[in-house]
Amino acid sequence: MKKFTVLILLFIVCNIGKSQTTTESSLYFKEIITLIEQKNFFKARDLFNQNKEKLSSYHQLITEAYIDNAFNQLEESNKKIKSLFRDYKKELFDSLKLNLFLVLQDNSFKLHNYKEAKEASDSIIIHYANLLSAKELEEHENGRTIGKILENQPKQKVTIKKTTTCKIQRDKAGLANLMVKYKKDSMNFIFDTGANISTVTETMAKKMNMKILNDSVKVGTITGNKVTSGLAICPEFWIGNIKMENIVFLIFKDEDLAFSQIQYQINGIIGFPVIEAFGEVRITKNEELIVPEKPTHYPVQNMALDFLNPILQLGDEYYIFDTGATETMLYKRYFTKHEQEIRNQFQESEVKFGGAGGVVIRKAFKIDFFPVINGKKIEIKGVSVFSESNEEKGKYEFFYGNIGQDLIKKFNTVTLNFHSMYIKFD
């Protein structure tokens, strides 16, 4: 599945007349949409809340559809999109329709309404292929394949019987693992908010009696390469007191998740769709994962979602929050903002990192990173800062970095709550 992107701001300027709105509404609308395009969902939300009454009903619906998507109000976002297609059919031009279908696809996939996600992909490919690059079109074809494979499969179901506390086990790579119980056996799986879909090896898929779906998809990897993966549905497994049913897994060949240099084999990964369904997770310094029976409210909303990636707001910067990453990494946007300071104090060198799909070597500066959390500076030494982006344009260009376990471990407890949309550090 592809992350939605607000494609082009020209549609606002060129089509203001079509929406029959005031100049004031159009100006605020343009500013908010620009922020959303830049992945600054937090400032876009705040600006919208401050000026909502100045926006036309048409502009309000469009803006709320995007903001609801970013802050995990998926059904509300879909309702607004469907209202736009129903009530403003004449005002909707092709580039805006494409964007709305992208959001609808994203919402529906997260809601495990695979048929609706596939239908949104159909509309994108059939009606708006001329607005997509060849690479984007290929990704949407792949997304449609996933939707087609899953459209008649049952929805994911996660049942929290009571508050669960699980011991986190560290593997050879230092990654957090949880004990997954299936049938009369158990196995450690990596716990990773950065995994868009849960993942398993062919061997484990057979052991867990998964339903193998007869098709394959292409999956992007940390190296930028793509590998072929299968899809499967796991009928049932448990983590502590939490029952998982009908969970979608990517199936990789065993060797694709093996690292011979350290004699290490990944058996499986619990990814974002399952973790989000927990509602709230707490990661403690003494290596425990706590999932409360009922999520708790907190007034600060500092987490958003960019497709399946949790985004953390730190001051005026925003970072991908990745529990599966052992180390924090900073991207080109951070480097550009702090370039002179970095070049004056640090030397660029080669850094090796990898994952499924192999190992890659890139040049980076190793710096001391001082994020401010709860009003205090937190020091993390030896953080890689990349002066150039090695990712496809649009994927990470607006984020300042990827927050990993080296920051998480600085606190007694870190809470991720997908209902109130916050990350709390204690």
Side-chain angles (χ1 to χ4, degrees):
M1 305 292 289
K2 187 184 185 302
K3 295 180 183 179
F4 86 84
T5 304
V6 183
L7 293 177
I8 303 172
L9 293 176
L10 287 176
F11 74 80
I12 301 166
V13 178
C14 296
N15 294 276
I16 284 174
K18 294 183 179 180
S19 61
Q20 302 297 311
T21 60
T22 65
T23 301
E24 184 179 41
S25 174
S26 298
L27 289 174
Y28 279 117
F29 178 60
K30 179 180 178 180
E31 187 175 357
I32 294 167
I33 294 298
T34 299
L35 291 168
I36 292 171
E37 182 184 41
Q38 295 172 351
K39 311 292 187 182
N40 194 343
F41 307 117
F42 309 100
K43 193 171 181 180
R45 172 203 59 200
D46 295 343
L47 187 62
F48 173 76
N49 289 337
Q50 292 163 11
N51 299 283
K52 182 176 179 179
E53 301 306 317
K54 298 172 185 175
L55 294 173
S56 67
S57 298
Y58 173 71
H59 283 162
Q60 280 187 31
L61 273 175
I62 297 170
T63 307
E64 286 183 306
Y66 291 129
I67 292 175
D68 284 346
N69 169 272
F71 291 97
N72 211 26
Q73 301 298 308
L74 309 178
E75 292 179 348
E76 288 301 312
S77 178
N78 273 355
K79 285 179 184 177
K80 293 177 176 72
I81 292 170
K82 290 170 184 177
S83 293
L84 283 161
F85 281 119
R86 183 185 66 243
D87 300 332
Y88 293 93
K89 191 174 181 179
K90 293 182 179 179
E91 286 88 344
L92 296 176
F93 37 92
D94 282 353
S95 57
L96 179 52
K97 287 178 184 176
L98 169 58
N99 279 284
L100 292 174
F101 274 120
L102 289 168
V103 181
L104 180 65
Q105 177 199 52
D106 180 38
N107 291 335
S108 300
F109 184 76
K110 289 175 185 171
L111 290 166
H112 315 293
N113 188 340
Y114 308 119
K115 184 176 181 180
E116 188 168 70
K118 182 254 182 187
E119 289 171 351
S121 294
D122 285 341
S123 295
I124 291 167
I125 293 166
I126 294 169
H127 300 295
Y128 310 107
N130 62 309
L131 299 177
L132 301 170
S133 68
K135 189 174 227 179
E136 288 171 332
L137 186 59
E138 180 185 2
E139 289 178 340
H140 283 296
E141 292 280 7
N142 196 53
R144 179 165 66 172
T145 299
I146 294 174
K148 187 175 181 180
I149 295 169
L150 297 175
E151 66 176 326
N152 296 316
Q153 300 302 318
K155 287 187 177 183
Q156 169 183 294
K157 184 179 179 182
V158 174
T159 306
I160 302 171
K161 301 290 186 179
K162 60 181 180 179
T163 296
T164 287
T165 300
C166 299
K167 187 66 180 173
I168 294 173
Q169 304 290 337
R170 294 287 166 180
D171 58 27
K172 285 185 177 182
L175 300 175
N177 281 250
L178 299 176
M179 185 68 72
V180 170
K181 297 178 182 178
Y182 58 96
K183 296 189 287 187
K184 295 182 180 180
D185 208 344
S186 61
M187 183 62 69
N188 276 342
F189 277 25
I190 293 168
F191 169 84
D192 185 2
T193 55
N196 289 168
I197 304 178
S198 297
T199 301
V200 72
T201 62
E202 289 179 342
T203 297
M204 283 305 304
K206 292 173 184 175
K207 284 184 178 180
M208 295 177 74
N209 197 31
M210 292 190 186
K211 179 182 178 183
I212 310 298
L213 305 175
N214 293 322
D215 218 321
S216 62
V217 295
K218 293 180 181 178
V219 181
T221 68
I222 194 169
T223 63
N225 298 324
K226 290 192 175 182
V227 297
T228 300
S229 165
L231 279 172
I233 302 288
C234 187
E236 181 181 318
F237 65 92
W238 291 73
I239 296 176
N241 302 308
I242 307 169
K243 183 181 181 182
M244 266 69 67
E245 299 174 87
N246 308 319
I247 306 300
V248 176
F249 278 85
L250 293 170
I251 303 178
F252 281 80
K253 294 178 180 178
D254 291 26
E255 55 266 30
D256 287 336
L257 294 178
F259 302 86
S260 57
Q261 60 269 35
I262 57 172
Q263 296 182 325
Y264 173 53
Q265 176 71 58
I266 294 174
N267 296 300
I269 302 170
I270 299 299
F272 177 84
V274 174
I275 298 167
E276 187 274 337
F278 291 166
E280 177 178 319
V281 296
R282 302 170 192 163
I283 304 167
T284 71
K285 196 169 189 176
N286 62 347
E287 301 284 54
E288 289 181 331
L289 180 84
I290 301 170
V291 180
E293 186 176 357
K294 293 183 179 179
T296 54
H297 180 70
Y298 184 64
V300 177
Q301 192 181 54
N302 64 347
M303 179 169 67
L305 295 176
D306 179 43
F307 184 51
L308 296 172
N309 289 315
I311 307 302
L312 168 66
Q313 180 185 28
L314 291 177
D316 62 349
E317 299 176 349
Y318 31 101
Y319 297 79
I320 297 170
F321 193 85
D322 185 357
T323 60
T326 55
E327 298 178 352
T328 294
M329 293 189 294
L330 302 173
Y331 299 153
K332 185 179 178 180
R333 181 161 190 157
Y334 182 92
F335 175 80
T336 301
K337 183 177 179 180
H338 304 278
E339 180 174 1
Q340 197 59 54
E341 179 185 351
I342 292 170
R343 288 194 183 278
N344 287 342
Q345 296 184 51
F346 304 96
Q347 293 294 320
E348 198 169 26
S349 60
E350 290 187 340
V351 177
K352 183 187 294 185
F353 61 100
V359 175
V360 65
I361 297 174
R362 290 179 59 190
K363 288 187 175 181
F365 292 86
K366 286 285 189 179
I367 73 163
D368 298 329
F369 179 47
F370 295 94
V372 177
I373 298 175
N374 299 336
K376 296 180 181 179
K377 276 189 177 182
I378 308 298
E379 182 180 13
I380 309 175
K381 291 185 175 292
V383 175
S384 297
V385 184
F386 301 106
S387 59
E388 296 296 335
S389 175
N390 199 39
E391 306 293 342
E392 58 188 284
K393 183 174 174 60
K395 193 171 184 181
Y396 296 135
E397 65 176 323
F398 293 112
F399 299 116
Y400 287 82
N402 190 86
I403 298 297
Q405 293 173 24
D406 47 3
L407 176 62
I408 294 170
K409 289 178 181 178
K410 297 284 184 180
F411 298 89
N412 291 325
T413 305
V414 175
T415 301
L416 287 81
N417 184 298
F418 297 97
H419 285 268
S420 299
M421 294 300 290
Y422 66 81
I423 299 176
K424 186 169 178 277
F425 300 86
D426 295 303

